[in-house]
Amino acid sequence: MTEPPRPPGAGDPGSYPPEPTLPGSPSAAEPPTAPLSGAPDPAGYPPAGGYPPPTGDQPPSGGYPPPGGYPPPGGYPPGGPTGGYPTGGAFGGPGGGYANNEDKTWALVAHFGGAAGMIISGGVLGWVAPLVAMLARGSQSPTVRAHAVAALNFQLIWSIVGLVGWVLSCILIGFIGVGAAIILGAVFGILAGIKANEGSLYRYPLSANLVK
């Protein structure tokens, strides 16, 4: 049998006419337009290749600064956070607060010598070693003078207490003063020497500013 004639414009069997396009809608033949620079695409993902790295002191897109924070404009100065901090003890010198090993030696003589003097002399000559340190090195080094003066003021007070105790030893109560002078002079002198070895100036308790 022969097929009946088809109307004009009819295609092959099973084909359908194309759907009409609405005004303003993109045509299937037109390629999709690229999003603006830096803006996410319609699917919400970053552009191809990711976002560019932050420049200057601007934070990244996540809003969190890098470890250690952002450097100031121009970078850190020499010796700043990236170059380490200056070292030194209580007086700012190298080696734990001393300008040289000689200063440290005389500071230790003032403290440990005062403690030894109180023990050897029975509580009356603890001031000798601090006085020697101050006269020998105090005029050349303010650090040594500070240590020697602190030790001298303390040991002078308790050497006087020890001397009075020996004078009153005839009535036995004086031995209390002698024992206190020896124990306190030795204990606090040793503690001050330990601090001086670390580069710190020890503040003696129960002292007075007799020498400045």
Side-chain angles (χ1 to χ4, degrees):
M1 297 178 62
T2 60
E3 294 182 0
R6 297 173 182 170
D12 296 333
S15 63
Y16 297 93
E19 297 182 357
T21 58
L22 299 177
S25 62
S27 173
E30 297 179 358
T33 58
L36 297 178
S37 175
D41 62 9
Y45 295 98
Y51 292 107
T55 58
D57 55 355
Q58 296 179 355
S61 57
Y64 296 98
Y70 295 103
Y76 291 108
T82 57
Y85 294 95
T87 58
F91 300 96
Y98 301 99
N100 48 55
N101 290 333
E102 187 176 359
D103 286 355
K104 182 177 182 179
T105 299
W106 281 109
L108 296 180
V109 167
H111 297 296
F112 287 129
M118 293 297 277
I119 296 174
I120 295 173
S121 66
V124 294
L125 295 179
W127 52 271
V128 174
L131 180 61
V132 171
M134 185 182 69
L135 296 177
R137 190 68 180 175
S139 59
Q140 304 173 15
S141 171
T143 301
V144 174
R145 180 175 179 83
H147 283 274
V149 167
L152 181 60
N153 283 328
F154 175 79
Q155 299 294 1
L156 269 178
I157 291 294
W158 289 99
S159 293
I160 294 173
V161 172
L163 180 61
V164 173
W166 281 112
V167 172
L168 298 178
S169 61
C170 57
I171 57 175
L172 299 181
I173 193 174
F175 288 107
I176 298 177
V178 173
I182 296 174
I183 294 174
L184 295 179
V187 170
F188 288 113
I190 293 174
L191 291 178
I194 295 174
K195 287 292 185 180
N197 188 51
E198 298 173 354
S200 301
L201 179 61
Y202 183 72
R203 303 296 181 182
Y204 282 91
L206 307 175
S207 182
N209 292 328
L210 301 179
V211 181
K212 296 183 180 179

